[in-house]
Amino acid sequence: MTPEAPSVGAASPSQDSASRTASYLDEAERYSARNYLPLPVVLDRGEGAWVWDVEGNRYLDMLSAYSALNQGHRHPEIMAAAQTQMERLTLTSRAFHNDQMGPFLRELCEATGYDAALPMNTGAEAVETAVKMVRKWGYETRGIPAGQAEIVVCEDNFHGRTTTIVGFSSDEQYREGFGPFTPGFKLIPYGDLDALKAALGPNTAGFLVEPVQGEAGVVVPPEGYLAEAAALCRDNGTAFVADEIQTGLGRTGRLFCCEWEDVHPDVLVVGKALGGGVYPVSAVIADAEFMDVFRPGDHGSTFGGNPLGAAVGRASLRVILEEDLSRRSDELGQWFADELRAIRSPHVEEVRGKGLMIGVVIRESSGTARPFCEALQQRGILAKETHQQVVRFAPPLTVDRAALEDALVDIRVVLGG
Ligand SMILES: *Cc1c(COP(=O)(O)O)cnc(C)c1O
């Protein structure tokens, strides 16, 4: 290493800790694309529901990497599975079989009650896969004329960042400057059954929906919406596709949010916590009627179903089930949301959510949610604003009640209750 190019990671002991944070922030500012606006905290360690910054301060992680850390940071069982697998075999590509993928997909199907699963890596890839699946299913099974398949989606959706997916976003910022976009999508208001009914036609192959809209600000649809929407789709011969990448795997107090209304989606899209906070693992899960549209060469992914990801996915799912994290999320979430609602704050318009997926909506007259998140950071709580007005609280589902009780003391101060 030359003296002209000091590595911040090798900061000298004489450098005080606050300046270590500053130099990390400078480095990121200088060398990274500006596509995020992170809170000014630099983390270097995590365990369970806790993370530490480079200055040694401890924080309660109330974001859980957008619910990719439902099992907490470095869950011992997931770490052990990853380490064991890393010492055996990590990547084969799908040109060959490996001994982890089959068991992983079987366990996923057994836990969810479907025939088959198709492994991918990121959430957006799984959504893209579901789009391809229902389009082809529409042509082959529903007899939709070539090139005419339509997929209905909801306003304020978030399904990822690929060009096709942002093309059907209603958020101008997600789209602006990135066109031209893939045709074949129709936007309707979220939670509106009449709009869905009107939008469904002979060429509607699928309805793609989040059971709770996370990135839109934890928007919970009216009760009965999912069940009614699924019934409308069934009557129309349209595939009901649930994007449970964020709401799934225990986050909302059920293994999948659709279970709240006894809905068995035709196509279930999962990701985030399927990778246990270690590795990107996503999947599209469906019955044979849908899965069978894919034939050799139709679709693929170099890393999808790789043995390391599959081993991590198996452990991630096992931890959710064995530790009954869905029930924990349900019980802690109801109690925590009630405590938040009990805070008499002039700034809070509404507290909403399901399980440990909770949004606190800040009144516009009190400004945006950002300064509240910054104030929480000062008090050792990492939360992130979503869509200007909402502070999202979504800690790892392994968090203990005492940690949340302590957090409430600080949240009460910050919200001025
Ligand atoms: C995060 C998310 C995605 C995209 O997942 P990536 O892994 O970031 O591509 C898609 N849908 C929902 C509902 C999400 O929350």
Side-chain angles (χ1 to χ4, degrees), residues 332-353:
L332 284 176
Q334 283 193 31
W335 161 77
F336 192 63
D338 284 344
E339 292 291 318
L340 290 170
R341 284 190 191 100
I343 300 174
R344 290 201 315 278
S345 164
H347 308 301
V348 175
E349 189 172 303
E350 189 192 358
V351 175
R352 62 193 182 204

Side-chain angles (χ1 to χ4, degrees), residues 44-74:
D44 69 357
R45 191 158 65 90
E47 188 175 330
W50 303 95
V51 287
W52 285 261
D53 70 13
V54 291
E55 301 176 28
N57 301 307
R58 188 178 81 153
Y59 302 85
L60 184 64
D61 183 352
M62 291 287 251
L63 179 67
S64 309
Y66 303 91
S67 294
L69 284 159
N70 289 358
Q71 304 91 338
H73 291 267
R74 297 190 306 111

Side-chain angles (χ1 to χ4, degrees), residues 36 65-66 121-127 158-162 165 210-215 243-247 269 271-272 280 282 392:
Y36 274 94
Y66 303 91
N121 311 284
T122 65
E125 284 176 298
V127 171
F158 183 85
H159 296 289
R161 298 288 201 163
T162 63
I165 292 171
E210 299 156 84
V212 171
Q213 289 187 324
E215 295 318 295
D243 178 347
E244 294 243 22
I245 291 168
Q246 187 163 155
T247 51
V269 188
K272 290 201 166 110
S282 65
R392 174 171 27 195

Side-chain angles (χ1 to χ4, degrees), residues 139-178:
Y139 296 126
E140 293 195 345
T141 319
R142 311 303 311 178
I144 295 173
Q148 301 292 305
E150 213 167 68
I151 293 177
V152 175
V153 295
C154 292
E155 285 168 12
D156 298 322
N157 69 67
F158 183 85
H159 296 289
R161 298 288 201 163
T162 63
T163 43
T164 286
I165 292 171
V166 299
F168 60 76
S169 171
S170 60
D171 187 321
E172 256 322 297
Q173 200 200 345
Y174 290 177
R175 297 161 49 89
E176 197 179 341
F178 300 132

